[in-house]
């Protein structure tokens, strides 16, 4: 048996699909299937039950999987320790990123700093909702992620580092009757159609929490801040956005009005999530340090 076969077996156990395991391992499906079969033959046990529609672990596979995870984690740690000893940071860094407007975190400047210091690290950015990014970090498909912290922390093998917090503010059409008020209540907003992010996004977790006692109707779900603002501008509903983001978009736009919300406190709390320190690559450790330095200087 070899280490690549072990990685294929673990990938298949997690994906429960030869197609998905092959995609995540960057190998053709037939090759992955062949290597998994060879691994089973050398062990002398069948690890997977295979049908035309699904793949599942056998009792032997269930029993051996925790040990295989330990071996893979140990190999990853050897790479981390070797880079730390050499003092050279190389390899690949894959970072998950919910939409964080530059008003809150200037990602381009952050990455420019990181690249200038660690030019031998290849960086890949992945976008998505906070729930998806958390799962991908827990599954070691991402080295780190910036997420809305208004999400579950059930993944105890992850560390959460607070980056910043800001209040949510209502964005409404300027000709709406509520725009005449200095503040708007949760009850008043709940009577209007909402433009919001889909379930699984950090902001959606927070707005759903804020309206838990006052039912509202989400008329439109979009995935970008600029789309939220544009939909409000078209009188399709109201929205809640982090204050710095809303002011950048709406302070100079006469068609929009921004109003503080009363009745419940809603905030966007942003965290950097990563594996526990002993499981991070040297590139991941360097990136985390750059994030903290960037925020401290802005």
């Amino acid at each position: 048996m070899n280490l690549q076969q072990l990685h294929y077996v673990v990938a298949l156990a997690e994906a429960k699909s030869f197609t998905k395991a092959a995609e995540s391992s960057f190998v053709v499906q037939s090759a992955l299937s062949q290597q998994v079969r060879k691994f089973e033959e050398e062990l002398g046990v069948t690890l997977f039950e295979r049908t035309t529609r699904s793949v599942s672990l056998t009792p032997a596979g269930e029993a051996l999987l925790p040990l295989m995870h330990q071996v893979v984690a140990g190999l990853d740690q050897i790479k981390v320790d070797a880079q730390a000893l050499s003092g050279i940071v190389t390899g690949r860094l894959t970072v998950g990123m919910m939409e964080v407007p530059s008003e809150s975190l200037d990602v381009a400047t952050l990455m420019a700093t990181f690249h200038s210091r660690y030019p031998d690290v290849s960086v890949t950015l992945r976008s998505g909702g906070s729930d998806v990014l958390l799962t991908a970090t827990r599954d070691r498909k991402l080295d780190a992620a910036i997420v809305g912290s208004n999400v579950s922390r059930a993944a105890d093998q992850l560390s959460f580092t607070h980056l910043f917090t800001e209040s949510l503010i209502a964005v409404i059409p300027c000709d709406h009757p509520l725009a005449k008020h200095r503040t708007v209540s949760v009850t008043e907003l709940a009577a209007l159609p909402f433009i919001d992010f889909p379930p699984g996004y950090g902001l959606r977790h927070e707005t759903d929490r804020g309206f838990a006692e006052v039912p509202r109707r989400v008329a439109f779900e979009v995935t970008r801040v600029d789309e939220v603002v544009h939909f409000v501008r078209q009188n399709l509903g109201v929205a809640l956005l982090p204050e710095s983001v809303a002011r950048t978009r709406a302070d100079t736009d006469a068609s929009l009005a921004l109003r503080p919300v009363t009745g419940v406190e809603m905030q966007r709390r942003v965290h950097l999530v990563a594996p526990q320190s002993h499981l991070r690559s040297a590139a991941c450790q360097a990136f985390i340090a750059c994030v903290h330095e960037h925020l401290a200087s802005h």
Side-chain angles (χ1 to χ4, degrees), residues 102-162:
S102 58
E103 300 85 13
S104 301
L105 178 65
D106 189 341
V107 176
T109 299
L110 168 64
M111 289 303 175
T113 300
F114 181 82
H115 179 67
S116 68
R117 294 179 183 175
Y118 309 103
D120 294 326
V121 177
S122 299
V123 179
T124 300
L125 296 182
R126 305 287 189 199
S127 61
S130 293
D131 284 356
V132 171
L133 297 179
L134 271 177
T135 299
T137 307
R138 184 187 63 229
D139 293 344
R140 307 296 297 278
K141 295 176 182 177
L142 295 173
D143 294 296
I146 293 176
V147 302
S149 66
N150 313 76
V151 292
S152 171
R153 297 198 190 184
D156 57 2
Q157 64 267 54
L158 299 178
S159 67
F160 287 74
T161 303
H162 178 257

Side-chain angles (χ1 to χ4, degrees), residues 274-287:
Q276 297 292 343
S277 58
H278 66 282
L279 295 175
R280 298 172 191 164
S281 67
C284 181
Q285 292 279 35
F287 173 72

Side-chain angles (χ1 to χ4, degrees), residues 19-238:
T19 300
K20 292 180 180 178
E23 289 175 353
S24 67
S25 302
F26 303 101
V27 66
V28 296
Q29 184 174 328
S30 59
L32 183 140
S33 178
Q34 181 183 44
Q35 291 302 313
V36 170
R37 180 69 73 183
K38 286 183 177 180
F39 190 85
E40 290 177 313
E41 289 173 353
E42 290 195 45
L43 285 181
V45 295
T46 301
L47 301 174
F48 297 98
E49 295 284 359
R50 302 160 172 85
T51 70
T52 56
R53 293 186 177 182
S54 65
V55 178
S56 59
L57 286 165
T58 63
E62 292 280 5
L64 292 173
L65 184 61
L67 180 57
M68 289 188 284
H69 273 299
Q70 290 178 25
V71 173
V72 170
L75 293 170
D76 290 343
Q77 189 59 42
I78 289 173
K79 296 177 184 177
V80 172
D81 292 345
Q83 283 198 353
L85 290 170
S86 70
I88 300 173
V89 181
T90 62
R92 174 169 292 279
L93 176 73
T94 305
V95 179
M97 192 84 62
M98 68 176 194
E99 187 184 8
V100 184
S102 58
E103 300 85 13
S104 301
L105 178 65
D106 189 341
V107 176
T109 299
L110 168 64
M111 289 303 175
T113 300
F114 181 82
H115 179 67
S116 68
R117 294 179 183 175
Y118 309 103
D120 294 326
V121 177
S122 299
V123 179
T124 300
L125 296 182
R126 305 287 189 199
S127 61
S130 293
D131 284 356
V132 171
L133 297 179
L134 271 177
T135 299
T137 307
R138 184 187 63 229
D139 293 344
R140 307 296 297 278
K141 295 176 182 177
L142 295 173
D143 294 296
I146 293 176
V147 302
S149 66
N150 313 76
V151 292
S152 171
R153 297 198 190 184
D156 57 2
Q157 64 267 54
L158 299 178
S159 67
F160 287 74
T161 303
H162 178 257
L163 299 182
F164 56 87
T165 299
E166 60 182 321
S167 297
L168 303 189
I169 193 169
V171 184
I172 59 181
C174 67
D175 56 359
H176 193 279
L178 287 181
K180 298 177 182 179
H181 303 170
R182 297 183 64 180
T183 62
V184 293
S185 70
V186 168
T187 302
E188 289 171 323
L189 289 174
L192 305 174
F194 259 81
I195 297 103
D196 208 337
F197 293 85
Y201 280 65
L203 275 179
R204 179 61 180 269
H205 279 284
E206 182 65 358
T207 54
D208 281 347
R209 183 197 65 79
F211 285 85
E213 303 299 325
V214 187
R216 62 169 180 156
R217 181 173 73 89
V218 177
F220 298 94
E221 293 179 349
V222 298
T223 59
R224 296 177 59 248
V225 168
D226 287 336
E227 290 175 329
V228 172
V229 173
H230 187 59
F231 276 44
V232 176
R233 191 180 290 124
Q234 295 298 317
N235 275 296
L236 294 175
V238 298

